[in-house]
Amino acid sequence: MADRKALVVDDEFHIVQVVAIKLKNNGFEVLTTDNGASAYTLAAQHKPDIIITDYQMPVLTGLELIEKLRSDQQTAAIPVIMLTARGFAIEDQQKQKLNIAACLSKPFSPREVLQTVEEVLKQTVHA
Amino acid sequence: MKRVLGLCLLGLALSCAGCIAAATIALPGPILLACGILGLIAAGGLTYSLIHLAVDVHAMTKTLRSEHPILDSVRCSALKPLTAALQECLDKTNKPLLEARREIQDLGLQLQLLRRRKSGIEAILNSIHDAVLVCDDQDRLILANPAAEKLLGFESEKAALKPLKDNLSDNSLADLIIRARSSKVRHVRHELSLNRSGSAAWYDCLLSTVLDDSGQVISVVAVLHDITREKEISQAKNDFVSHVSHELKTPLASINAYAEMLVDGEAQDEAAIRQFCEIIQGQAQRLNRLIEDILNISRIESGLMKVNRQNLSLALIIRDAVEMIQSYAQEKNITLTAPAPILCDQVYADRDMMMQVVVNLLSNAVKYTPAGGSVSVQFEMNDVDGTITVSVTDTGIGIPEQDMDKLFGKFFRVEANKNFAKGTGLGLNLVRQIVETVHNGRVFVRSKQGQGSTFGFVLPIASSKTALIA
């Protein structure tokens, strides 16, 4: 049984799948969903150690999801990594305000995702 | 004659005296002005008298010469100094009078010129589409053209010499003018958003300060040029680049990620390897379709699309398109029906493009219809106006009313339906470009949210006839 749990959220099935496989192959238990609203429900229910979310998604966008997570005491502390295909980076101010651990641009490397996840979790443990 | 001459001389002497007095006594203010006028009148009278006198003297001299030739030389020599004195006096009085007359003429000409220039400048200012307004050194309005009056909502006559802020509902322009005056910067440019007929409009506001000889600002000229359209185009371009980059990056992200997974040996078995390869292939095809769509739209918009027009049957194209989409419809358990093509009604169109139009409409209909629903194609010919109408009706999720007029826009996707199916927002735009821009037809849509939609197009029947097909 994996001792680390990750939630992967993206409306692109193939993206969710590839990130999930990479994490599973490296010892994570992975939950997946394709929209922000169900991601929040899953996060509240399962309390994952980390969330990897897309920026642009139906129902709730990535930023709206994080805002919702931060406003709930149960989910406020979960570190979040954001994947975005948008041509612009998320402003530092917003990143700080929402406590976004890292932003990765699409196209991304699954290796890089895994490495970032490990680093963020390490920082979280030490914090 | 002697008496007449005597009287003339007396009159002349008196006139001269008056004239010299008027010319030599200097008096201040209005008295001087009155004296001047009197002097001018006196000079006028004097000139008149002198001219007459000179004529008379000349006539008398002539008479004396002819009547009394002996006395002539004596008399003439006696009159010579008088004639010379008269001539001198005449020259002296004539000169200022001529100068005054010339000055009056000059002033009249200058006034005429100024009037002409003023009306010319007014005509130019009034013809300028940009709003132009001028404020004095106390930020009071001193001039505005009709475009400025219309934009800022005041009447120049009522607003003149009142503080600018009293005349404007929005203080942003007044603040910029005040700031320009205080800074004394020669020219400064700002982008300004103003309310125009209830909607925000953007203006390029160029402020220029007018300085006097001592370097003090005496007025500020503001010229407001409407750049709303340029802003919209720029925004649309940015949105387009942003959308394209997002749409291209999504399949590219999958290709990149799965290729790396294969390289890293993350596929656990043969089946996984095969699945990863298929995903890479599928995403590459998706990327290619997307690029083709974008290029086709771009080619049509720029008029560079090669169009191979021919007389062809829409009924046959519909039949082929239905065949192509049928398996997708069956996968989703959707009934797809189309009338059997009996009459081959001709349109003069590009076959591949028309095929793309029908396929896009059919695949959209299937995509946005829940399982168990139906999609049907109708085909209607109107002999009266010489058109063919093709419509695709579904029992799908429908479209909210507020989105109806944006449906054929580039990259537009109905927010409420995004969750239902994936799409790029390019398919319907391509349909419109092909039907309307390339084939002079018309697209249409009818929909009710939750009850389904009908998308279609109308094309003119080709001039050549309908033909029976097997």
Side-chain angles (χ1 to χ4, degrees):
Chain A
M1 172 100 186
D3 56 351
R4 298 183 298 177
K5 206 186 289 174
L7 170 61
V8 183
V9 196
D10 199 309
D11 59 337
E12 275 289 324
F13 170 73
H14 298 309
I15 299 289
V16 170
Q17 182 180 256
V18 78
V19 174
I21 292 171
K22 187 76 184 178
L23 293 174
K24 273 181 193 167
N25 287 352
N26 288 277
F28 281 82
E29 181 191 344
V30 184
L31 304 159
T32 61
T33 182
D34 64 357
N35 71 76
S38 67
Y40 169 71
T41 312
L42 283 173
Q45 270 176 6
H46 299 274
K47 316 272 182 329
D49 298 295
I50 194 160
I51 297 172
I52 299 122
T53 180
D54 185 22
Y55 174 83
Q56 198 177 33
M57 290 184 301
V59 193
L60 277 185
T61 67
L63 287 179
E64 287 166 344
L65 165 65
I66 300 169
E67 274 172 11
K68 206 163 177 192
L69 290 168
R70 297 292 174 247
S71 65
D72 183 342
Q73 219 177 347
Q74 293 182 87
T75 56
I78 302 174
V80 177
I81 294 172
M82 184 166 268
L83 297 176
T84 171
R86 282 279 159 205
F88 54 86
I90 294 161
E91 283 175 28
D92 284 347
Q93 206 183 345
Q94 202 168 21
K95 217 167 128 181
Q96 266 186 343
K97 188 185 154 202
L98 293 173
N99 194 19
I100 299 171
C103 286
L104 298 174
S105 296
K106 287 181 182 175
F108 61 91
S109 148
R111 272 180 235 141
E112 194 188 354
V113 174
L114 179 66
Q115 194 185 330
T116 311
V117 166
E118 297 286 11
E119 280 169 11
V120 170
L121 286 177
K122 209 188 261 178
Q123 284 165 14
T124 315
V125 169
H126 288 115
Chain B
M1 182 62 69
K2 275 181 188 171
R3 204 182 298 157
V4 173
L5 184 62
L7 284 170
C8 287
L9 285 171
L10 182 63
L12 175 66
L14 286 169
S15 300
C16 284
C19 179
I20 289 157
T24 52
I25 297 167
L27 289 169
I31 300 168
L32 184 64
L33 182 66
C35 281
I37 294 165
L38 282 172
L40 273 178
I41 294 165
L46 180 60
T47 310
Y48 179 79
S49 307
L50 287 173
I51 290 164
H52 278 271
L53 187 60
V55 170
D56 290 345
V57 168
H58 182 69
M60 279 190 294
T61 313
K62 213 175 167 186
T63 312
L64 277 172
R65 273 183 190 153
S66 59
E67 287 175 3
H68 308 284
I70 305 157
L71 290 174
D72 185 28
S73 60
V74 179
R75 285 171 196 266
C76 281
S77 61
L79 282 172
K80 256 182 191 169
L82 181 62
T83 312
L86 275 172
Q87 190 59 49
E88 196 184 340
C89 195
L90 194 66
D91 289 346
K92 273 185 184 167
T93 49
N94 248 351
K95 205 177 167 188
L97 188 71
L98 285 171
E99 276 172 7
R101 190 184 291 166
R102 208 174 299 131
E103 273 176 25
I104 289 167
Q105 278 176 345
D106 284 351
L107 284 172
L109 280 172
Q110 280 178 26
L111 188 66
Q112 221 176 341
L113 198 68
L114 282 173
R115 277 191 186 136
R116 211 175 297 155
R117 281 180 66 182
K118 183 175 174 270
S119 61
I121 289 168
E122 274 175 0
I124 291 168
L125 265 179
N126 293 351
S127 71
I128 294 174
H129 187 256
D130 292 346
V132 180
L133 62 155
V134 184
C135 295
D136 65 8
D137 58 345
Q138 291 169 54
D139 310 312
R140 297 177 306 186
L141 185 75
I142 53 174
L143 192 144
N145 71 346
E149 290 180 351
K150 193 178 168 196
L151 171 66
L152 302 167
F154 60 72
E155 286 175 39
S156 286
E157 282 177 17
K158 287 183 188 166
L161 291 174
K162 286 184 188 161
L164 194 60
K165 282 195 173 181
D166 292 356
N167 296 314
L168 303 177
S169 52
D170 186 337
N171 277 344
S172 51
L173 176 61
D175 288 339
L176 289 178
I177 290 174
I178 292 166
R179 215 184 307 155
R181 178 183 51 72
S182 319
S183 68
K184 293 185 184 178
V185 177
R186 202 77 184 83
H187 301 287
V188 61
R189 198 180 280 276
H190 297 277
E191 272 189 8
L192 188 66
S193 172
L194 292 171
N195 188 315
R196 186 184 56 193
S197 317
S199 61
W202 281 94
Y203 290 87
D204 172 49
C205 175
L206 177 65
L207 298 162
S208 307
T209 50
V210 182
L211 309 176
D212 64 11
D213 292 342
S214 63
Q216 294 303 306
V217 176
I218 51 172
S219 56
V220 178
V221 182
V223 180
L224 284 90
H225 177 67
D226 190 345
I227 52 164
T228 312
R229 183 80 191 117
E230 286 91 328
K231 276 266 181 193
E232 283 170 356
I233 290 169
S234 167
Q235 186 58 46
K237 259 164 72 178
N238 290 343
D239 288 350
F240 181 78
V241 171
S242 173
H243 275 294
V244 167
S245 108
H246 180 260
E247 293 302 328
L248 293 177
K249 277 181 177 180
T250 304
L252 198 61
S254 289
I255 293 168
N256 188 62
Y258 282 94
E260 189 190 288
M261 294 287 276
L262 286 171
V263 170
D264 287 359
E266 300 276 7
Q268 305 285 340
D269 50 30
E270 279 299 314
I273 292 171
R274 188 176 174 78
Q275 190 207 4
F276 285 12
C277 290
E278 281 172 358
I279 290 169
I280 291 169
Q281 193 180 20
Q283 294 298 305
Q285 285 165 355
R286 175 180 165 185
L287 195 60
N288 187 49
R289 276 196 305 274
L290 187 66
I291 291 168
E292 275 303 314
D293 279 356
I294 293 167
L295 282 177
N296 282 341
I297 289 171
S298 169
R299 283 183 197 128
I300 292 170
E301 282 181 343
S302 57
L304 295 171
M305 187 77 171
K306 278 186 187 165
V307 186
N308 182 23
R309 284 193 181 83
Q310 55 185 303
N311 279 357
L312 53 92
S313 164
L314 270 181
L316 288 176
I317 284 177
I318 291 167
R319 184 190 66 185
D320 294 346
V322 167
E323 269 177 29
M324 197 186 279
I325 298 295
Q326 198 62 262
S327 60
Y328 176 37
Q330 281 166 359
E331 264 176 42
K332 281 194 72 179
N333 190 25
I334 288 166
T335 314
L336 174 57
T337 54
I342 300 167
L343 276 174
C344 175
D345 297 303
Q346 305 265 304
V347 289
Y348 188 60
D350 183 293
R351 180 182 294 278
D352 292 343
M353 286 190 184
M354 291 320 298
M355 187 70 178
Q356 186 158 25
V357 166
V358 180
V359 166
N360 279 9
L361 291 181
L362 284 173
S363 61
N364 260 5
V366 173
K367 197 196 282 187
Y368 291 100
T369 299
S374 68
V375 172
S376 63
V377 186
Q378 295 84 40
F379 186 78
E380 205 178 297
M381 195 174 70
N382 189 330
D383 285 328
V384 181
D385 62 4
T387 58
I388 294 174
T389 302
V390 175
S391 40
V392 176
T393 302
D394 64 57
T395 56
I397 53 177
I399 296 144
E401 208 179 324
Q402 70 269 18
D403 291 330
M404 293 288 280
D405 57 344
K406 301 174 210 149
L407 281 173
F408 291 95
K410 220 178 285 170
F411 289 114
F412 179 78
R413 295 206 63 214
V414 176
E415 195 60 44
N417 299 350
K418 272 186 182 172
N419 206 22
F420 195 84
K422 291 204 161 295
T424 58
L426 286 175
L428 284 178
N429 184 258
L430 195 55
V431 165
R432 186 176 70 178
Q433 299 275 9
I434 292 172
V435 170
E436 296 189 350
T437 312
V438 181
H439 292 94
N440 295 321
R442 179 173 59 82
V443 292
F444 63 86
V445 57
R446 294 184 291 271
S447 184
K448 218 162 191 189
Q449 202 171 9
Q451 291 181 26
S453 311
T454 297
F455 283 83
F457 60 91
V458 182
L459 282 181
I461 298 173
S463 50
S464 70
K465 350 287 143 204
T466 55
L468 276 172
I469 62 161

